[in-house]
Amino acid sequence: MNTSKPRLLPMASHGCSCCGPDSSADTASIPAASDSSAGGASSSYQVTGLTCGHCVKSVTQALQALSQVDDVQIDLASGGVSTVTVTGVVPPEMVRRAVEEAGYTVVF
């Protein structure tokens, strides 16, 4: 039986939006690619600041708290621009606000 302590992995970055200092940016408009499917309309947003699974969980929970959201899928690009796809009939401004309140930025 091996009783050694597990080796800790290095962080992907020096900090992420969920754990690091607050960084805010001005977003005047929101790009959204709409797709009508059987499960409802889905829109994709480009979001910066997501670097780890905790970031993904934070954004997912913030968006799922909106009553109009049916589903949230996030394609994480650690340290880059991640794609957040929201299914449901949600105004883009509500999505932007929820993402920003979670500590991240929707880019255009």
Side-chain angles (χ1 to χ4, degrees), residues 63-79:
L63 292 169
Q64 287 177 337
L66 301 174
S67 63
Q68 302 93 329
V69 172
D70 296 323
D71 188 38
V72 176
Q73 297 294 320
I74 299 178
D75 181 19
L76 176 65
S78 183

Side-chain angles (χ1 to χ4, degrees), residues 17-101:
S17 295
C18 64
C19 304
D22 180 34
S23 63
S24 51
D26 184 23
T27 55
S29 65
I30 301 168
S34 295
D35 173 32
S36 295
S37 60
S42 61
S43 299
S44 294
Y45 302 86
Q46 301 303 303
V47 178
T48 61
L50 283 77
T51 59
C52 64
H54 185 261
C55 297
V56 170
K57 183 177 178 181
S58 295
V59 171
T60 300
Q61 288 177 338
L63 292 169
Q64 287 177 337
L66 301 174
S67 63
Q68 302 93 329
V69 172
D70 296 323
D71 188 38
V72 176
Q73 297 294 320
I74 299 178
D75 181 19
L76 176 65
S78 183
V81 179
S82 300
T83 301
V84 176
T85 303
V86 179
T87 303
V89 183
V90 186
E93 182 60 26
M94 287 182 73
V95 172
R96 183 191 65 79
R97 249 183 280 146
V99 169
E100 287 182 354
E101 287 175 8

